[in-house]
Amino acid sequence: MIFWIILPISLSLVSLIGTWSVYAIAVYNNHVCSLGDWGAAKYCNKNDSTECCLVPTISSSGTSLPENSLFSAIISGGAFLFLVFSIFHHAHIMEKNAKQALLSRIALVFGIVAATGAFAAGNCNPGNLPLLHHLGAALSFTCICFYTVLLTSLTGRCLLTGFEKYLYPLRIISSAIQISFTIGYSILFAQPDYRAIHVSAVFEWMLSVNLELFELSYVVEFAYFYSWMLSNLLIKRDEQKPLILSMS
């Protein structure tokens, strides 16, 4: 049913428009430096002066008032939509190709954990609860890497739309970008040099946009999704029953 394409579209747009709006407000209020400002003169570790600004990561953009409330709302809403997206996609796989149930379940687990980590990161202000925030963010980023790889693998294994021959190579590229930028972000963010941290911020924004484009590509699958497919989450199909029961 074409109506369900609203889910991946909403997920992508809420995350894309929301996070960049938070960033714009933070830059306007001089709470974070601009992504285009590579000079270290205005950089400060603690945003306690109007003369300095924080490195423009997604997290630091949502640290200060008034943008931190919008940041929490956007990340929480995005995490919820991502959770729904993961569940619905699993139901679609179960309907069209139950033989891939195990792989789809593993992907679902990573999707749920990623959504949980993002929710924790969004609701734990990095200025007040840095440990919980960064733990949630690290958990989310890591699980998203596994999730994109597993969903890409399912694209190659399952025939849901007939467009897989076009989607599969695109998602392979997207997954490779997601993993590469996540690794680069993780390494550079831990460096003491401002330029290295600034590059890590650029990587974080790029992996965020890449994920949103990856999610948006599922408009194709959700155009073939029907609400009755959710019943697959409540029943045990014959293909999944233990062998001893199927032989009785």
Side-chain angles (χ1 to χ4, degrees), residues 10 36 50 57-58 66-67 83 94 114 117 130 133 136 164 178 215 232:
S10 299
T50 56
T57 63
I58 295 175
E67 57 269 17
L83 176 63
M94 294 297 293
H133 173 85
E164 282 74 17
Q178 192 71 24
E215 294 163 346
N232 290 297

Side-chain angles (χ1 to χ4, degrees), residues 124-216:
C124 296
N125 190 295
N128 301 322
L129 298 167
L131 178 60
L132 292 177
H133 173 85
H134 289 110
L135 181 62
L139 188 64
S140 181
F141 283 146
T142 303
C143 288
I144 283 173
C145 286
F146 284 103
Y147 187 69
T148 55
V149 169
L150 291 170
L151 258 62
T152 300
S153 178
L154 286 167
T155 302
R157 293 166 181 257
C158 302
L159 185 64
L160 302 181
T161 66
F163 294 97
E164 282 74 17
K165 64 180 179 180
Y166 305 109
L167 296 171
Y168 186 48
L170 291 175
R171 287 174 184 168
I172 289 176
I173 295 171
S174 183
S175 297
I177 292 173
Q178 192 71 24
I179 294 171
S180 300
F181 283 162
T182 299
I183 293 173
Y185 164 74
S186 302
I187 294 173
L188 293 173
F189 185 74
Q191 305 303 313
D193 180 63
Y194 170 78
R195 289 185 180 275
I197 301 175
H198 197 97
V199 172
S200 77
V202 174
F203 278 6
E204 184 182 24
W205 284 103
M206 291 176 72
L207 69 87
S208 175
V209 172
N210 178 71
L211 176 63
E212 286 142 13
L213 292 175
F214 181 87
E215 294 163 346
L216 189 61

Side-chain angles (χ1 to χ4, degrees), residues 18-38:
T19 52
W20 283 99
S21 297
V22 170
Y23 163 75
I25 297 171
V27 171
Y28 178 79
N29 290 318
N30 199 40
H31 294 155
V32 298
C33 306
S34 169
L35 284 168
D37 184 4
W38 291 86

